[in-house]
Amino acid sequence: MLVFIIRRLIQSVMVLLVMSLLVFAGVYAIGNPIDVLISPDADQLERARTIAAFGLDKSLPEQYWIFLRNALSGDMGRSFAFSTPALALIFERMPATLELAVCAIVMAIVLGVPLGLWAGLRPDGIAGKSIMAVSILGFSLPTFWVGLMLIMVFAVQLGWLPSSGRGETSLLFGIPVSFLSWDGVRHILMPAMNLALFNVALVIRLTRAGAQEALLQDYVKFARAKGLRNRRIIGVHVLKNILIPIVTVIALQFGSIIAFAIVTESVFAWPGMGKLIIDSIRVLDRPVIVAYLLLIVTLFILINLAVDVLYSLLDPRVRLSEAKA
């Protein structure tokens, strides 16, 4: 396993290097932040001084080399708009996004797996058909529309939940979290439900398909012939054997939630990384945009590595030494 992890880490460094070049070239070649950050009434001397201060007077290869050299020491540049390190800005907003993503994934697992099992074990029942119908809605409804409907129903008409913000936070191991207070829980419920809807539908369909396939396998028939209880057959023989695709999808969706929570964070004014990147794009804050995209790439690399390791734990037949890199 150690050799596998080292090999994957070396490959990850190469992927990050290529992605940094693509991201840097794509972001830095489009638009001019000086037009946004400097007043149109500024004279040429002030414009030249600001361009030199941001390092935009150099050619693109020179800018990339400076960025790469600084990135190797952990410096992803300073924000044009806030004049603070880009990584510091992102890490400041990261706990809010991670908390939202974890809540959404927990909802997807807690709701999706039992409902998917129910639909898979009783596909012809009214409950099973209703569950599948709801899962289709989860795939079909746009995230922004669902978010607005949640606000209209639970915040405007019923007045049960607040419509925006993060609410009261408390420190947990030095990290601000909102789920430790009732006000924070009330604020996170709607955005977490909005993010979880698609993932609940996805987990339901995966679990249902896996359960129906597992029920036809010989080991399940043999377990029934031995007289094992139905609960043990489902919990040990069925659920354990359908966990690999579910774990894979949930892990990748966790990364997707973090990367693409922008819409939900904008609708609910959730102070996370998504809202930060939207604000940065508006003012062409290049260091923040590049640092955010590279951080997301790193996150997906780590998630894929974690999934490969989990494979070997869930299924002894999977050997990391034989896995494809």
Side-chain angles (χ1 to χ4, degrees):
M1 182 179 292
L2 180 61
V3 174
F4 170 79
I5 293 176
I6 293 174
R7 185 170 68 246
R8 287 296 298 268
L9 289 177
I10 294 174
Q11 293 175 348
S12 300
V13 171
M14 299 302 298
V15 171
L16 277 176
L17 185 62
V18 173
M19 286 303 300
S20 69
L21 178 60
L22 296 176
V23 169
F24 190 90
V27 173
Y28 276 67
I30 299 175
N32 187 358
I34 299 301
D35 297 335
V36 179
L37 298 172
I38 297 183
S39 170
D41 300 329
D43 55 26
Q44 291 299 320
L45 181 61
E46 183 178 354
R47 288 180 62 89
R49 186 165 54 247
T50 305
I51 291 173
F54 289 157
L56 300 177
D57 55 336
K58 300 178 176 60
S59 65
L60 190 61
E62 288 180 294
Q63 292 184 49
Y64 177 70
W65 171 247
I66 295 173
F67 162 79
L68 192 61
R69 185 180 60 195
N70 294 334
L72 292 176
S73 61
D75 181 11
M76 303 290 287
R78 298 181 68 86
S79 167
F80 294 164
F82 298 97
S83 297
T84 57
L87 280 179
L89 274 176
I90 295 173
F91 288 148
E92 183 182 348
R93 304 289 188 95
M94 184 180 288
T97 299
L98 289 177
E99 183 180 35
L100 188 61
V102 169
C103 288
I105 283 296
V106 169
M107 286 183 179
I109 296 172
V110 171
L111 295 176
V113 173
L115 291 176
L117 278 175
W118 194 343
L121 297 173
R122 301 178 181 177
D124 298 326
I126 296 177
K129 293 179 179 179
S130 300
I131 291 171
M132 295 311 297
V134 172
S135 70
I136 293 175
L137 286 177
F139 279 115
S140 306
L141 297 177
T143 302
F144 73 90
W145 183 85
V146 174
L148 294 175
M149 292 301 102
L150 288 174
I151 292 174
M152 181 180 297
V153 174
F154 293 104
V156 177
Q157 295 183 352
L158 298 176
W160 291 351
L161 299 173
S163 61
S164 61
R166 192 180 180 192
E168 181 183 349
T169 60
S170 305
L171 291 180
L172 179 65
F173 303 113
I175 300 174
V177 295
S178 58
F179 63 84
L180 295 179
S181 65
W182 176 240
D183 181 64
V185 171
R186 292 177 68 246
H187 277 82
I188 201 174
L189 275 177
M190 281 202 297
M193 285 191 294
N194 190 36
L195 271 181
L197 181 61
F198 175 85
N199 297 286
V200 169
L202 187 60
V203 173
I204 285 175
R205 299 186 76 86
L206 274 174
T207 307
R208 175 182 179 270
Q212 288 186 325
E213 181 179 354
L215 289 174
L216 300 176
Q217 300 301 314
D218 291 337
Y219 57 81
V220 173
K221 297 177 181 178
F222 183 71
R224 283 179 173 166
K226 288 174 60 179
L228 295 180
R229 290 181 300 176
N230 198 42
R231 180 180 300 178
R232 180 173 177 80
I233 293 174
I234 295 171
V236 177
H237 298 281
V238 174
L239 185 58
K240 185 178 180 180
N241 284 279
I242 65 176
L243 276 180
I244 287 185
I246 295 175
V247 166
T248 304
V249 171
I250 288 176
L252 295 179
Q253 282 300 116
F254 180 70
S256 299
I257 287 175
I258 296 175
F260 306 116
I262 297 174
V263 174
T264 296
E265 291 185 355
S266 300
V267 170
F268 293 94
W270 187 262
M273 294 189 298
K275 192 173 185 302
L276 173 65
I277 197 65
I278 287 293
D279 296 338
S280 300
I281 290 173
R282 288 173 181 166
V283 296
L284 293 177
D285 198 345
R286 291 173 174 175
V288 176
I289 298 172
V290 172
Y292 172 81
L293 293 176
L294 289 181
L295 186 64
I296 295 301
V297 172
T298 304
L299 178 66
F300 272 99
I301 289 173
L302 293 177
I303 287 175
N304 276 282
L305 178 60
V307 168
D308 287 340
V309 174
L310 279 175
Y311 272 3
S312 66
L313 299 177
L314 292 173
D315 190 347
R317 295 171 299 178
V318 177
R319 293 291 178 263
L320 293 181
S321 60
E322 300 173 0
K324 292 183 179 180

